[in-house]
Amino acid sequence: MHFSIPETEVCSGENGSTYVAYNIHVNGVLHCRVRYSQLLSLHEQIKKEYGSNVVPAFPPKKIFTLTPAEVEQRREQLEKYMQAVRQDPLLGSSEMFNSFLRKAQQETQQIPTEDVALDICLSNGQKITVNILTSDQTEDVLDAVATNLDLPEDLIGYFSLFLIRESVDGGVTFVRKLQEFELPYVSISSLQSSDFHIVLRKSYWDTAYDGDVMDNRVGLSLLYAQTVSDIERGWILVNKDQHRQLKSLQEKGSKKEFIHLGQTLKYYGYIKFDPCITDFPEKGCQVIVSAGNNELNFHVKLPNEQMKEGSFKVTRMRCWRVTSSQVPLANGTTNTCSSSKCEVKLELAFEYLMSKDRLQWVTITSQQAIMMSICLQSMVDELMVKKSGGSIKKMLRKRHNGSIYRADGQQAVKSPPLLDSPNTNREQIVKLSTKLSSMSLLGISASNSANDISGNDFHGNYAFEGIGDDDL
C-alpha cells in the first residue's frame, strides 16, 4: 500500500485555537487527518514496545510556532516516517500501528461507533447484508459475511473483501483489497458515491487450492459464481464450442465440472485492469494488463495499431516499485500544483530478466498500480509458502499486506525493496448461499480466440536466481 502525506490543513481546536493537521493518504485517497502530537504518541508507543533501534527517525519537537517552510519540512519528514513504519515487516503489520490508523480514520470521518447494516456484493450481483459496528475492522466484517453465508471458518482465509467501482456501462474497476488498518463501513461511506461497492472474491492464485474450496457447498457456489461472472465480463476467454459446453454443464447444475472446464480456459482466475499506458515494447503504448497464473499479462496496442500480447512471469522479476507524482490537470492553467489543480499519477515499474544477461525496467502508468503491486506480492507469498512446504490455510488467514508470518512469528518473506525513484519529484511508494445458485450465462460472448496473439509473446526465457522456476 502506498502511504503519503501530500498536504496539510489548518484546523480549529475545541478552545478556538488552531493547529496544523497532516492528511494521510493511502493509494492517493485521504484515509485520515492527524496532528503531530498524535503521531508522536504513536511513535513513543512503538519505541516502548519494539525498542529504539527498530523505529525510524521521528521529526523533533519545536519550541516555537513553525514557519510555513518548517511545516513543509515536517510534512516531508512525517511522510517518510509513515512509509518507513509501513514497509517494516514487524511494525507495519503490528496491531498498534493498524489500530491507530483505524481510530484516526473513524475520527476523521466523524462516524460514531454504532450498529449499522452493510451491503456486501457477491460475484453474481446478489447482495447480502451484514449487521456490524461502524468500528469493525476488515477481518470482523469478513467473519460476519462468512457467518451469514455459512462458510466454514477454515475457508474464510481463501476469500477477501475488495473495493470496486462500477461504471455506467457495467464495467468493474478493482480499486483495492480492503486492508487490516481500515474500517470497511467508514471506507465505503467516506466515498459518498453509489458507484463503489464491497465485493467478496477469492484471494488466492494457485488453482490447486480450488479443490479445498469446492469440497464445501458454500465454497463451491462462491467459486462457481466468480467463474461465471469472470466469463460474462470477458475476463475469461471462451470460444463457441467451449461456450456450448459451459451452457450444457450449467443447465445440468454441474458446478464442479463447470469450474473444471473454466480452469482450462485462458485467463481463468485473472484480475483484469483498466486500459493504461506502458513503455514496453515502446514508450506510450496503450495496454490492458491482467494479473494471474504468477504473471502480468500485457495486451499491447503499438503506435502502428498492431496488437501484441505477452506475459511477464513474477519468477523473473528481480524487484518492483510503486511511485507517485502530482501532475497538473489537463485543463490546468499553470505548471505548478495545488490540491485543486492536480491529480496523483501512479506508476508500477519492475525490473525483468529479459534474457540470460539482460535486465530491463518495464513501467506501467495506471491508477491501479498499487492494486497490481498487491497482486504481485500475493503471488510471491504463495510461491514462497509452497516452496517452503508451509500451510496455505495459515498463510491466507494470517496474511498481512506487506509480509506474511509463520505460526511462530518468524518472517516468511519480505516485500520487494522499494528502490529510489530516478525522478526526484516523485514520492516513494501489495446463510444466503442459495442465492448463488441462480446464475446465468446470458452475458457470455462467444470468442474464436482471434485476439489471442500468443505467437507474439515477449516474456523472458530465463529464471532469476532466488525465485527461479526450477526452485519452485
Side-chain angles (χ1 to χ4, degrees), residues 167-377:
S167 59
V168 292
D169 61 359
V172 172
T173 298
F174 273 71
V175 179
R176 69 176 184 274
K177 183 169 75 172
L178 295 184
Q179 301 295 312
E180 68 276 12
F181 56 75
E182 64 182 313
L183 310 176
Y185 180 85
V186 177
S187 293
I188 195 77
S189 299
S190 64
L191 294 169
Q192 299 180 341
S193 172
S194 59
D195 296 339
F196 291 90
H197 308 284
I198 298 175
V199 66
L200 181 71
R201 184 180 174 89
K202 74 176 186 179
S203 60
Y204 60 89
W205 302 97
D206 193 335
T207 58
Y209 303 123
D210 285 347
D212 296 345
V213 175
M214 289 191 291
D215 283 342
N216 173 263
R217 172 183 57 87
V218 179
L220 172 63
S221 293
L222 288 170
L223 189 57
Y224 171 73
Q226 179 176 316
T227 305
V228 173
S229 175
D230 287 355
I231 292 173
E232 287 182 339
R233 63 165 60 108
W235 285 16
I236 299 175
L237 297 185
V238 296
N239 58 34
K240 291 181 179 179
D241 182 56
Q242 292 163 342
H243 179 267
R244 285 192 295 269
Q245 294 179 58
L246 290 168
K247 284 288 289 184
S248 176
L249 291 171
Q250 186 176 45
E251 290 169 357
K252 296 176 183 177
S254 304
K255 294 181 181 180
K256 281 191 177 182
E257 290 75 9
F258 185 99
I259 294 172
H260 286 316
L261 176 56
Q263 290 172 334
T264 68
L265 303 178
K266 191 167 186 178
Y267 305 134
Y268 172 84
Y270 282 63
I271 287 180
K272 190 175 183 179
F273 300 98
D274 294 342
C276 53
I277 302 297
T278 182
D279 63 357
F280 188 90
E282 300 178 36
K283 272 191 174 183
C285 288
Q286 298 179 35
V287 61
I288 294 178
V289 179
S290 300
N293 193 30
N294 297 323
E295 69 179 22
L296 288 183
N297 179 273
F298 275 30
H299 199 94
V300 179
K301 183 178 182 180
L302 301 176
N304 62 4
E305 302 299 314
Q306 178 187 0
M307 302 302 296
K308 193 170 185 179
E309 183 180 3
S311 58
F312 295 94
K313 295 291 185 181
V314 69
T315 51
R316 295 183 174 92
M317 293 181 187
R318 191 179 75 88
C319 59
W320 67 85
R321 67 187 179 212
V322 175
T323 55
S324 70
S325 58
Q326 289 194 340
V327 295
L329 295 174
N331 58 355
T333 57
T334 65
N335 292 325
T336 58
C337 282
S338 68
S339 58
S340 60
K341 297 180 181 179
C342 285
E343 61 182 355
V344 176
K345 175 183 175 183
L346 293 173
E347 290 184 342
L348 169 71
F350 56 88
E351 193 174 23
Y352 195 78
L353 191 66
M354 295 292 180
S355 60
K356 189 174 183 179
D357 300 310
R358 185 168 71 91
L359 284 162
Q360 179 177 336
W361 282 96
V362 176
T363 301
I364 305 166
T365 303
S366 168
Q367 290 305 109
Q368 293 174 286
I370 297 167
M371 183 68 187
M372 295 178 191
S373 176
I374 290 173
C375 290
L376 290 175
Q377 182 61 59

Side-chain angles (χ1 to χ4, degrees), residues 41-55 90-91 94-97:
S41 178
L42 170 66
H43 172 70
E44 294 297 335
Q45 292 178 54
I46 292 177
K47 187 166 63 172
K48 182 178 179 180
E49 178 72 20
Y50 297 100
S52 301
N53 60 326
V54 175
V55 295
L90 180 63
L91 305 180
S94 67
E95 178 58 23
M96 184 180 296
F97 181 65

